[in-house]
Structure formats: C-alpha cells, structure tokens
Amino acid sequence: MKYIFVTGGVVSSLGKGLTAASLGTLLENRGLKVALQKFDPYLNVDPGTMSPFQHGEVYVLDDGAETDLDLGHYERFTSTKLTRLNTTTSGQVYQTVLNNEREGKYLGKTVQVIPHVTDEIKRRIHVLAEHSKADVIITEIGGTTGDIEGLPFLEAIREFALEAGVGNTCFIHVTYVPFIKAAGELKTKPTQQSVAKLREIGITPHIIVCRCEKPLDKELRQKISLFCNVPVEAVIEEKDVDHSIYEVPLMLQRERTDDLVCQLLRLDTPLPNMSHWQEIIRKLIAPQHRVRVGVVGKYIGLQDAYKSVYEAIIHGGVGNDCGVEIVQVDSEEIEKEGAERILQGLGGILVPGGFGERGIEGKIKAAKFARENKVPYLGLCLGMQIATIEFARNVLKLEKAHSTEFDPDTPHPVIALLDAQKKVTKKGGTMRLGAQPCQLVVGSQAGKLYGSFVVNERHRHRYEFNNHYREKFEKAGFVFSGTSPDGKLVEVIELADHPFFIASQFHPEFLSKPHQPHPLFKGFIAAAHQQIHKKPL
Ligand code: GLN
C-alpha cells in the first residue's frame, strides 16, 4: 500500500482538492486502484450544518455522509465510490477520542493530542486502506500549513510516513506563487516560507506544486528547488486553467507529476492513456453546439454553493458536444422584476436544492414561466417541491398551497414532513440522506432518459410530496414518474404535456461525471438546445 499526502501552503482556495483528484485520475489511468481521503481541520462533526455561504455546498455520499465539496471532485475525477471512511474532520476525531475516554478505553492515562488524537487520525488512514483495497491512498489535508487547527493532522501524517517506511509515502505540497504586478514577476518567497513551516513540523515535501497565473520559468524552478530542497523536476507548474478544471490532470501529466510520484513510490506502471480525457477537453473548449441555461437560486454569485449542479450541467453539455453558458439568476430578482424579463431567451431553467424561505416565490414564478412557455425545466430536490407548489396553486387552483417548511399553516400542504421527521430536533445527519432506490415508470420521460427502471440516487431533504394530493395532481397531467419501490415516496415528477419538465426529490448532480454525464442533465441540455434551435442535436 502506498500513501500520498497533499498539503497546502500560503493561502486557502488553491485547488488542493482538484490537484489531489487530478492526480487520482492520472494514477487510475495507469491502472492503479486509487482511494481519496479528505481531512478537514474544523471542529464541526461534518459540514452538514454549515452554511453554503461560508462553506459551499454539502456533498452527499451514497452512505448518507454529508461531506466537504472536495469529495465531489474526487468522485467526478475518478471512478472511486466514496463513503464516510473517506472523510474526517477534527470534530469527528475529537468525538471518537472523547467517547473512548468516557468508555475507559485509555485505562486512566492522561488523554493528549499526541498520541491519542494523532493515533485516531492514523487509524482512520489504516481503516480506509483496509476497506478500499486500493494500491494508493491520496489523503488531502484541508486548511493551510501554519494553521493551529491543522497541526495534529500534520503531526499524524509525519508519524505515519515514518511508520510506513521509505518509498511508501509521498508528500506533495500545493503552494501559491503570486505574480506581483509592480515588479512584473512571480515571487517564490511565500512558497519558501510555507515549506520551511512544514519542515519545522518534520515534513519534507517531495513535490512542490506551484499554483500560479503565469508560467514558471527555469530560473524560478531552480530557485524553488534550491530553497525548498526538492529536485528541480519536482517543482511542478500548475497554472490557472484557461477553460475548465478538467484540464488539470492533463497539465499535471505534462509536468510528469504522475511519473515522479510513481518513481518515488516505486510503482511500476504504464503511462496513462488520457485520450478520452483529451476528447472531453476538446468538447469543453470547442464544442459543436452552444446553449444558455438559467440556474435560479439564492446563493447566486457564490461559485461553490451549487458546485455539483454547475459541474453536472457542464457534463450534460459534454454529453451533447454542446458548450453551456450558465446564467446565474437570483430568485429574488425574479420576485422584483418578473420571470418574463429575466428568463426570456434561455434554453432551459434549472431550480436547484435549497433551504429556507428567502427567494421561494421567485423560484415558483420561474417554474410557472417554464411550464406555461414550454421551456425545459429541471428541478432538483427543492426544485421538485417548487414545481409541485406551483402546479397546485396555478393549475389545481389550490390557493396558498405551500410546503410546511415555508408556511406551517398553509391550507394545502402539498409538500410536508414525513412522520419520522416530525420528531427530529437534532441537527446534522438527521435528514433523509444518501442513496436510495427509485422505481421509474415505463414510458415516462425520466424512464427513457435513464434507460433503466430502478435507479439509485442520493438524497438530502426532510420534506416530501404529500400523498393526500396525489390523485388530484395525476388527473391534471402531473406525472409521478418515479417513486420509492414501495410506491410511497414521490421521487420524480414530470408534466405530460411539456417537451421537458422533470424534477426529482433526489440530487442527480452528485452522480454526474465528465465522462459519464448524468442522464437527466444530458437530456436537459439536449432539450434546452432544441428549445432554442428548434431541431434535435
Ligand atoms: N428544504 C427542502 C427539504 O428539506 C429541500 C432540501 C433540498 O433541496 N436539499 O425537503
């Protein structure tokens, strides 16, 4: 078993997760089985309770783990299926250690960061190694070197490397090489200092990945090599991508990063064949077709809040050789200006998941606009609930119909809590979470797109369609095209008399990859293109 540790220096948001995921792509394409793992130094037990404003989207795994969005990159870039074993926060580590202490497992010893917390961190690497049966584990340490919170993780991986022996671990440090305009040059000092900080802790990186906006010339590489104590070929340029994050694996390949890693870890593998990946990039850079779709949300302007949704839309485009321009629409703007003005001319409208009342009426207006004007609509989770409320109010004439999440006293609770959820008061891990089977109706639009009749999709919500209203809806042309296998929970709805109006209670965006676009997104983009160009792709 081989281990790669990815740390970050200088600033956050360097794209360490992307670097780790991209290396995973390359190693997988060399025939290795790869597992990726994220350590997050914050004290939250998981990001499930964190605001998207602060932390971006919550990415959900098959087993229902609510995780950091970097895990989304891991799944999109590789074929690994992640579970809660692939994600650890300081909160989880401390929770385990404190529980052990309460259970008397430390036999009266003083419980300390070293060795108890660090042992727990190391145990989590070993557990993943054992379960994943991977050839290589890539562990990304969240945060920035020098943060107090990150120290136990860095100490743990230092010890881990010592125990694993020479040739079995590789440390990669992702750092920032800023371009200083006034001087007209890239500066290496922050990199030198962050590497010095790591070395103080006892970690000497083998590879330095330099995030930069301009190319790293030979001289700079030599300077970093000298000051950071790595061979010059281990100084890797990772320039800002021109078009797409999916270029990163190819960039790392050009710099021979995977070669170097394999040499360091004594892995004898063939060169990766990345031709399929190059084809994806071709479709992203020079697509044959183009279309614009709108995403109507409330966290608009925050790139990370709808990360997987945006990615899945792009994948849907790749699946159709169609470049997609995503127009981010603030639902409150629709409330102020009306749907017509803002949504006119878009090929399709997508309403993603969400919580809380703000902007809800704008989303309902967007769904109405899509239904009435026969504009392709894709609703995800809240987006399905919105479509239901809109249909109830405007087609079934159920006045003030709503979800009890937003109006507990609505006379028509078309979306409501399941009994099991009514008793829940704790936050975190208490929603309907993770992959669950959904049975699709033969001949439905969704059934045709999936091409299969039982699918597994990931959930993260509390509220559900209220079955009391099912018949009324059905009679008016609202199709329940997917349900839980026992038929009790509504999973997918669509409109009979509409070219593409599909919404799901689950989150299909979590299962889409550039090389395997999700069928609902692929269908949505094809429909959006047809809407504008009036001919099929
Ligand atoms: N707020 C809604 C619910 O809890 C929708 C959740 C979501 O879109 N993820 O049911």
Side-chain angles (χ1 to χ4, degrees):
M1 184 75 71
K2 306 287 180 176
Y3 304 89
I4 298 171
F5 295 104
V6 181
T7 54
V10 187
V11 285
S12 59
S13 305
L14 281 180
K16 254 185 318 191
L18 275 175
T19 306
S22 301
L23 186 59
T25 316
L26 292 172
L27 296 181
E28 232 180 33
N29 280 287
R30 282 178 166 254
L32 294 165
K33 185 164 178 353
V34 177
L36 288 121
Q37 180 179 39
K38 174 97 197 258
F39 285 160
D40 274 308
Y42 47 74
L43 283 170
N44 303 62
V45 173
D46 60 46
T49 53
M50 287 158 103
S51 158
F53 280 112
Q54 270 199 13
H55 199 72
E57 81 174 2
V58 175
Y59 187 78
V60 182
L61 306 180
D62 270 357
D63 67 357
E66 298 177 280
T67 73
D68 185 89
L69 53 80
D70 275 324
L71 275 83
H73 291 313
Y74 300 171
E75 286 200 330
R76 286 188 280 272
F77 277 74
T78 67
S79 60
T80 46
K81 271 257 183 249
L82 306 177
T83 69
R84 57 185 75 243
L85 294 178
N86 301 69
T87 163
T88 286
T89 68
S90 287
Q92 289 166 12
V93 171
Y94 280 97
Q95 200 174 43
T96 310
V97 170
L98 295 177
N99 286 341
N100 288 344
E101 187 268 340
R102 292 290 86 179
E103 285 165 23
K105 289 195 181 151
Y106 299 121
L107 307 173
K109 289 202 187 98
T110 309
V111 180
Q112 294 178 299
V113 172
I114 305 173
H116 302 102
V117 168
T118 46
D119 279 354
E120 174 56 23
I121 295 170
K122 288 189 281 178
R123 188 187 69 81
R124 285 169 180 254
I125 307 173
H126 286 300
V127 170
L128 177 65
E130 210 169 284
H131 274 77
S132 65
K133 308 255 178 308
D135 302 310
V136 184
I137 308 260
I138 304 177
T139 304
E140 177 195 347
I141 321 296
T144 307
T145 307
D147 294 348
I148 293 176
E149 291 94 334
L151 284 174
F153 287 104
L154 296 176
E155 168 61 16
I157 61 172
R158 181 194 68 77
E159 292 173 16
F160 193 98
L162 188 70
E163 289 157 15
V166 185
N168 292 323
T169 51
C170 162
F171 287 105
I172 300 182
H173 191 55
V174 183
T175 165
Y176 184 47
V177 182
F179 177 74
I180 304 298
K181 248 204 206 129
E185 55 185 47
L186 291 168
K187 290 291 183 188
T188 65
K189 189 76 77 192
T191 296
Q192 295 175 35
Q193 289 185 343
S194 86
V195 171
K197 196 104 222 139
L198 262 188
R199 288 166 69 188
E200 230 171 69
I201 298 163
I203 294 173
T204 307
H206 300 97
I207 297 176
I208 315 265
V209 174
C210 303
R211 293 282 295 102
C212 46
E213 32 173 327
K214 307 257 181 218
L216 269 189
D217 62 23
K218 203 166 149 212
E219 219 175 293
L220 278 176
R221 288 178 195 246
Q222 276 164 348
K223 194 166 173 189
I224 294 173
S225 153
L226 184 69
F227 281 97
C228 300
N229 200 32
V230 295
V232 72
E233 57 280 5
V235 179
I236 307 290
E237 170 192 296
E238 194 187 297
K239 223 159 59 70
D240 294 351
V241 288
D242 292 328
H243 303 278
S244 156
I245 55 170
Y246 299 109
E247 291 171 61
V248 178
L250 301 179
M251 210 182 250
L252 292 183
Q253 187 189 21
R254 274 197 298 275
E255 292 280 300
R256 304 175 61 105
T257 320
D258 52 315
D259 255 359
L260 195 60
V261 166
C262 288
Q263 270 175 37
L264 284 162
L265 295 177
R266 300 172 189 167
L267 288 164
D268 190 14
T269 57
L271 290 175
N273 178 357
M274 296 296 287
S275 51
H276 68 296
W277 204 268
Q278 272 150 354
E279 181 57 13
I280 293 171
I281 302 298
R282 199 279 300 151
K283 287 181 182 161
L284 286 166
I285 297 176
Q288 293 201 17
H289 314 278
R290 293 202 184 262
V291 74
R292 281 165 73 229
V293 299
V295 172
V296 181
K298 76 168 177 183
Y299 307 117
I300 294 304
L302 293 166
Q303 267 314 316
D304 283 350
Y306 299 117
K307 187 95 208 154
S308 296
V309 175
Y310 293 153
E311 293 306 319
I313 293 175
I314 303 286
H315 307 159
V318 169
N320 289 294
D321 205 345
C322 181
V324 188
E325 184 192 333
I326 299 173
V327 180
Q328 302 176 359
V329 179
D330 182 342
S331 51
E332 285 179 299
E333 287 299 308
I334 298 183
E335 286 169 15
K336 282 186 229 143
E337 313 236 342
E340 184 87 23
R341 251 202 82 196
I342 297 189
L343 303 175
Q344 199 64 262
L346 293 171
I349 294 167
L350 186 149
V351 176
F355 296 81
E357 209 191 336
R358 192 162 62 75
I360 288 294
E361 291 304 321
K363 292 180 189 172
I364 294 175
K365 283 197 171 124
K368 179 167 189 270
F369 177 85
R371 179 178 58 77
E372 290 180 342
N373 295 286
K374 305 245 185 282
V375 178
Y377 177 90
L378 183 60
L380 313 175
C381 201
L382 178 67
M384 184 197 98
Q385 301 176 353
I386 292 287
T388 305
I389 296 164
E390 189 281 315
F391 195 86
R393 287 187 190 174
N394 300 320
V395 179
L396 303 180
K397 305 291 177 208
L398 300 174
E399 222 182 298
K400 296 197 178 142
H402 224 319
S403 159
T404 53
E405 178 179 5
F406 311 121
D407 178 5
D409 303 318
T410 168
H412 294 293
V414 288
I415 303 290
L417 273 188
L418 281 185
D419 285 343
Q421 280 291 344
K422 284 186 185 153
K423 299 175 207 110
V424 174
T425 51
K426 271 198 182 161
K427 295 265 182 283
T430 54
M431 284 185 251
R432 184 171 170 227
L433 284 167
Q436 302 192 12
C438 159
Q439 200 149 352
L440 297 165
V441 171
V442 181
S444 63
Q445 287 193 39
K448 282 184 203 148
L449 289 172
Y450 275 101
S452 68
F453 296 107
V454 181
V455 294
N456 263 294
E457 291 279 3
R458 296 180 184 173
H459 294 71
R460 182 170 187 261
H461 64 111
R462 285 184 214 285
Y463 295 81
E464 303 275 355
F465 182 88
N466 183 349
N467 285 331
H468 174 73
Y469 291 92
R470 207 131 135 186
E471 228 183 281
K472 258 200 181 87
F473 273 76
E474 234 153 11
K475 278 193 186 138
F478 200 82
V479 181
F480 297 96
S481 53
T483 59
S484 54
D486 63 6
K488 287 190 181 148
L489 300 174
V490 171
E491 296 281 25
V492 189
I493 63 99
E494 54 195 56
L495 293 183
D497 184 24
H498 195 289
F500 189 105
F501 194 107
I502 301 182
S504 65
Q505 188 55 82
F506 48 74
H507 288 273
E509 69 271 25
F510 293 142
L511 293 186
S512 189
K513 297 174 195 258
H515 42 294
Q516 289 157 19
H518 191 284
L520 294 183
F521 284 89
K522 193 172 166 193
F524 174 61
I525 296 303
H529 186 272
Q530 176 147 1
Q531 169 77 11
I532 299 295
H533 301 278
K534 305 294 173 215
K535 58 173 195 289
L537 277 171

